[in-house]
Amino acid sequence: MILLRRRVLAALLFGGTLMAASAEEGVTDNTILIGQTVGLTGTVAAPVKEMNEGANAYFNQVNKQGGVYGRKIEMRMLDDKFDPALTLANAETLIKKDRVFALFQGRGTPHTKGILPLLEANNIPLVAPSTGATIFHQPAHKMLFNIRAKYQDEVVRAVEHFTTIGIQAIGILHVDDAFGQDGLEGFKKAMEARKLQPATIIKFGRVNPDNAAAAAEVVKANPSALIIVSSAKNTVDVIKAIRAAGSHTQIMTLSNNSSNAFVKELGKAGTGVIVSQITPAPHLVTTTLGQEFNSAAKASGATISYAAMEGYVNAKVLVEGLRRAGPKLTREGFVRALESMQRVDFGGLMVTYGAGDHTGSEFVELTMIGKDGRFVR
């Protein structure tokens, strides 16, 4: 009898060891560990703060309701200061040391590009990179799931708008990195499609840009409209320099600059600036998504902004993938679950994936900053 008990105990212990060994990294009976490397400080800190507030508003709701199949979502965040080298180092730490289940809501085109080999080598999914660069859409990367629309779609929409209202002398000012090059490519395609020549093409540095020189080039070229492709702080600084130099050109910039902090930092220089958006308006409660977001934001104290709305949507998509993956959560099952999402309506924003399509949403609309500092649709 004693020998039998020992054998039973040994079998139970051995079985428990096998179960522990076969459990997916980052997943316990009670938690799912998600990693994030993003610029918590530095030039994108303000919009990142709003995006994370929106995401956390949804995660808080989910966790209060018991999580996903009894597992609460736990976030592990590291500050990369918007430096691509730090992004890679942080991603390695999160994957190899912290053993996160997946990565979520990073930011930056060169930053995301730099960690792609790491994701693929370790089979780590990245959901909702805050970049709309085409290289992350075509071809689809197995471990990367975009949600926001492509930057080139935003640029095309701007060119369409300007030409529709009779403006043809359109120029572009872009940051000299992969993000800027992607925006430039979309701009050239849009202009060529309309048989138009760019009024000017100007580039400036991502780190310590010469805003005065860029503004002088804008004044010299004198375009009727100017599309700016750059990160938030640099865009604020160069717009102020352009206005200070005496240019009254119509300025448009992309959705990565759609935070409340961006508008506040621009101040009076922001009046009339067009900003493309990749989510429905955050303050409207005529959509299910708007109602849900406002309720969650109020409960958690999150900012009501486009940036926060993007974070909220990103969190919803991540959780939907976790739910579809079922209670026996694995990374492979999670990837399959995301790829099963066909025209899923998140309350006013449609998301679609497939084995060869990780684009997510194609929602793009234009807004303008009004005199009161609010986005006008």
Side-chain angles (χ1 to χ4, degrees), residues 208-372:
N208 299 320
D210 190 338
N211 296 311
E217 287 192 62
V218 172
V219 171
K220 182 179 179 181
N222 193 29
S224 299
L226 181 72
I227 298 171
I228 300 180
V229 181
S230 183
S231 61
K233 185 178 186 306
N234 290 350
T235 304
V236 166
D237 292 343
V238 81
I239 288 176
K240 287 182 176 179
I242 289 168
R243 295 304 188 222
S247 173
H248 299 288
T249 182
Q250 173 65 69
I251 291 174
M252 178 270 177
T253 190
L254 307 188
S255 61
N256 63 301
N257 297 325
S258 63
S259 68
N260 285 4
F262 174 76
V263 176
K264 183 177 180 180
E265 289 174 15
L266 265 178
K268 293 181 180 179
T271 302
V273 171
I274 295 172
V275 182
S276 51
Q277 307 293 353
I278 47 81
T279 70
H283 57 278
L284 294 182
V285 293
T286 53
T287 65
T288 301
L289 180 60
Q291 293 169 11
E292 292 177 353
F293 169 68
N294 277 268
S295 175
K298 183 178 179 180
S300 67
T303 304
I304 305 293
S305 69
Y306 276 100
M309 172 67 97
E310 181 179 358
Y312 185 80
V313 168
N314 292 344
K316 287 200 73 172
V317 175
L318 174 74
V319 170
E320 178 65 17
L322 294 173
R323 285 173 174 155
R324 287 176 177 237
K328 295 181 179 179
L329 183 60
T330 65
R331 293 189 184 113
E332 183 180 353
F334 178 59
V335 168
R336 286 199 308 268
L338 286 169
E339 290 182 340
S340 74
M341 293 168 57
Q342 297 289 314
R343 293 187 60 78
V344 177
D345 188 354
F346 284 87
L349 184 140
M350 202 77 69
V351 172
T352 292
Y353 295 123
D357 178 10
H358 288 188
T359 287
S361 168
E362 296 181 346
F363 183 99
V364 177
E365 70 175 10
L366 300 182
T367 61
M368 179 180 285
I369 301 174
K371 292 181 179 179
D372 59 356

Side-chain angles (χ1 to χ4, degrees), residues 54-304:
N56 289 331
Y58 188 71
F59 290 148
N60 289 342
Q61 280 189 328
V62 172
N63 287 342
K64 284 180 181 179
Q65 294 168 3
V68 182
Y69 297 108
R71 299 184 180 105
K72 294 186 177 181
I73 295 169
E74 180 181 323
M75 289 294 301
R76 184 74 50 82
M77 294 184 289
L78 296 179
D79 182 13
D80 61 30
K81 303 177 182 178
F82 205 51
D83 180 341
L86 272 178
T87 301
L88 179 58
N90 286 352
E92 287 183 338
T93 297
L94 290 166
I95 293 169
K96 298 178 179 180
K97 181 182 177 182
D98 296 336
R99 306 292 182 181
V100 298
F101 173 74
L103 295 181
F104 173 72
Q105 199 167 263
R107 192 176 183 97
T109 299
H111 312 68
T112 305
K113 184 179 180 181
I115 67 172
L116 275 178
L118 187 66
L119 301 178
E120 293 168 358
N122 293 274
N123 291 318
I124 302 292
L126 166 60
V127 178
S130 186
T131 168
T134 304
I135 58 171
F136 304 127
H137 294 257
Q138 301 166 350
H141 297 273
K142 183 181 178 182
M143 290 296 150
L144 188 149
F145 289 84
N146 303 284
I147 297 176
R148 59 164 31 244
K150 295 188 286 291
Y151 288 139
Q152 291 193 18
D153 291 346
E154 298 182 50
V155 173
V156 168
R157 186 67 178 272
V159 173
E160 287 177 349
H161 168 72
F162 290 136
T163 55
T164 298
I165 62 175
I167 295 176
Q168 296 188 337
I170 309 168
I172 186 169
L173 168 62
H174 68 89
V175 63
D176 189 15
D177 65 6
F179 170 33
Q181 288 298 321
D182 185 70
L184 176 60
E185 184 178 341
F187 175 71
K188 287 180 175 179
K189 288 179 181 177
M191 295 294 280
E192 287 172 5
R194 290 157 183 79
K195 296 181 172 55
L196 297 174
Q197 291 296 318
T200 186
I201 296 176
I202 306 167
K203 63 182 179 181
F204 68 152
R206 185 174 65 84
V207 179
N208 299 320
D210 190 338
N211 296 311
E217 287 192 62
V218 172
V219 171
K220 182 179 179 181
N222 193 29
S224 299
L226 181 72
I227 298 171
I228 300 180
V229 181
S230 183
S231 61
K233 185 178 186 306
N234 290 350
T235 304
V236 166
D237 292 343
V238 81
I239 288 176
K240 287 182 176 179
I242 289 168
R243 295 304 188 222
S247 173
H248 299 288
T249 182
Q250 173 65 69
I251 291 174
M252 178 270 177
T253 190
L254 307 188
S255 61
N256 63 301
N257 297 325
S258 63
S259 68
N260 285 4
F262 174 76
V263 176
K264 183 177 180 180
E265 289 174 15
L266 265 178
K268 293 181 180 179
T271 302
V273 171
I274 295 172
V275 182
S276 51
Q277 307 293 353
I278 47 81
T279 70
H283 57 278
L284 294 182
V285 293
T286 53
T287 65
T288 301
L289 180 60
Q291 293 169 11
E292 292 177 353
F293 169 68
N294 277 268
S295 175
K298 183 178 179 180
S300 67
T303 304
I304 305 293

